[in-house]
Amino acid sequence: MMADQRPEEAKARLKALLCDLMLIPGLSGHEGRIRRHIAGLLKALGLSTRTDRLGNLIATSEGDHGAPSVMLFTHMDQLGLVVRKIEADGFIRVERLGGVPERALPSQEVLICVGEGRDRPGVIANKSHHATTPEEKYKVVPYQDLYIDAGFAGRDEVLAAGIDIGSPVVYRPHWVELSQDRIAGTSVDDRAGCAVIVEAARQLMARPKRPTVHFVFSVQEEFNLRGALTAAQALQPDIAIQIDLLLATDTPDMAYRGDVKLGGGPVMSLYSFHGRGTLNGTIPHPALVSLFDGASRHIDIPLQRSAHTGALTDSSYVQLVGQGVASIDLGFPMRYSHSSLEVCDLGDLEGLTTLLVEGIASIDKRFSLDRDDYE
Ligand SMILES: [Zn+2]
């Protein structure tokens, strides 16, 4: 195989993985289908998996026992809605699960998840334009007032279809290929992270020298950010590397926020903080900043930097396990977070995968997590 064909082949695998994974619904707390699919992918790589009681999928690849152990993780759940009330006339009211943007909801197609082969499509109603008053025209409708039209004529029909209070609802899973290797899809957050870790697992397994790596596909991140905690508590890793989107700031409405470009390569978060309701964030361990800075120079892949308030990931909680887990958020640039079509770049996913493999494979018994060696 020509060496310079490898990135293209990895990119093709990442595209196939991402697009398949985005078509499988997995609302927070209802990850069974997506978990079984990912377990199958890992099995095909020769990795056996286990599932903890919360639902996290874990696969361990034993490596150099003298080196610090790594938990490489990403969330497999997605945000969405939950059936709150079924009206007598068959319309369905919903509750939000996760950071669902209300202004992006009307007219969206949704999938009411009943079970494989039994899911029902629906549309979030948007009041007929010809009856919309001037005051309503620029107003965001609160989710409490929205309803789903799934074509049912009455409550009995809804119940007979297997839909009940508590049923999960997600944006209709789909994707579309844009120009320049860019993909718009449902739940790029964080099926792109899942695709990257599956591909990174494939490449890491081929490395003769590597530390022990636990690949973790976590649950309920979009719900309460703490799903990965139970996995970290059980595994007690020395290092945790979390993979998720980082906000691309190269659109007209985001330019003042930072310098992260879609297509500009993987991103390292130097600071995240969320002060609304949940007071937490991640300031990465300096050993890991140094590790991935060095790896990016070594393989000549640009590494973008992000410092951002308003978002956080479950690494915020994982870092507090045991005597402290050296943690870092790495990610891919993404546009339009939490809307029904999020956009990422396949080249960024490939770059992120390569960076992860290089960085992790270089962790050996000399790798220090002593802060005084860095600060
Ligand atoms: Zn995410």
Side-chain angles (χ1 to χ4, degrees), residues 75 189-190 221-222 244-245 338:
H75 69 90
D189 170 13
D190 197 14
E221 195 269 355
E222 300 289 1
D244 206 340
L245 73 103
H338 288 193

Side-chain angles (χ1 to χ4, degrees), residues 32-55:
R33 277 198 248 176
I34 186 73
R35 178 175 54 244
R36 283 189 287 279
H37 185 83
I38 295 172
L41 296 171
L42 296 172
K43 193 175 169 206
L45 297 177
L47 282 164
S48 62
T49 60
R50 55 201 190 277
T51 302
D52 73 9
R53 203 170 289 150
L54 206 65

Side-chain angles (χ1 to χ4, degrees), residues 74-75 77 188-191 221-222 225 242-245 312-314 332 334 338 342:
T74 194
H75 69 90
D77 63 303
V188 167
D189 170 13
D190 197 14
R191 302 299 160 69
E221 195 269 355
E222 300 289 1
L225 291 157
Q242 191 282 140
I243 306 301
D244 206 340
L245 73 103
L312 76 173
T313 76
D314 35 12
F332 52 90
M334 193 189 80
H338 288 193
E342 303 168 320

Side-chain angles (χ1 to χ4, degrees), residues 265-310:
V267 193
M268 169 163 70
S269 170
L270 282 303
Y271 175 75
S272 73
F273 183 72
H274 197 305
R276 297 194 307 273
T278 177
L279 201 65
N280 212 339
T282 298
I283 301 167
H285 192 289
L288 300 177
V289 173
S290 154
L291 174 74
F292 286 105
D293 258 338
S296 84
R297 279 194 301 273
H298 181 64
I299 54 177
D300 203 19
I301 284 181
L303 180 55
Q304 307 190 81
R305 294 164 79 96
S306 160
H308 176 78
T309 61

Side-chain angles (χ1 to χ4, degrees), residues 149-288:
D149 185 343
F152 297 111
R155 183 188 287 122
D156 292 349
E157 275 189 30
V158 178
L159 294 170
I163 299 165
D164 206 341
I165 290 170
S167 290
V169 180
V170 294
Y171 295 130
R172 178 174 72 85
H174 66 300
W175 57 270
V176 44
E177 188 166 2
L178 308 179
S179 295
Q180 300 185 82
D181 271 345
R182 290 171 178 185
I183 303 278
T186 316
S187 65
V188 167
D189 170 13
D190 197 14
R191 302 299 160 69
C194 296
V196 164
I197 294 194
V198 170
E199 175 62 18
R202 168 199 295 278
Q203 295 184 23
L204 271 167
M205 308 269 287
R207 294 293 184 109
K209 279 199 161 76
R210 57 190 148 83
T212 291
V213 184
H214 308 285
F215 304 99
V216 175
F217 298 82
S218 68
V219 292
Q220 302 195 22
E221 195 269 355
E222 300 289 1
F223 174 54
N224 66 7
L225 291 157
R226 292 158 178 82
L229 255 182
T230 57
Q233 277 160 357
L235 298 168
Q236 296 284 323
D238 299 304
I239 293 170
I241 301 167
Q242 191 282 140
I243 306 301
D244 206 340
L245 73 103
L246 281 150
L247 293 179
T249 57
D250 59 345
T251 49
D253 47 355
M254 296 284 285
Y256 70 100
R257 292 201 71 132
D259 248 340
V260 176
K261 289 184 177 52
L262 192 69
V267 193
M268 169 163 70
S269 170
L270 282 303
Y271 175 75
S272 73
F273 183 72
H274 197 305
R276 297 194 307 273
T278 177
L279 201 65
N280 212 339
T282 298
I283 301 167
H285 192 289
L288 300 177

Side-chain angles (χ1 to χ4, degrees), residues 12-24 175 183-196 332 344-346 349:
R13 280 196 300 269
L14 284 161
K15 180 183 173 187
L17 281 168
L18 170 63
C19 294
D20 282 353
L21 291 169
M22 287 195 295
L23 296 182
I24 303 167
W175 57 270
I183 303 278
T186 316
S187 65
V188 167
D189 170 13
D190 197 14
R191 302 299 160 69
C194 296
V196 164
F332 52 90
C344 71
D345 178 286
L346 292 171
L349 302 186

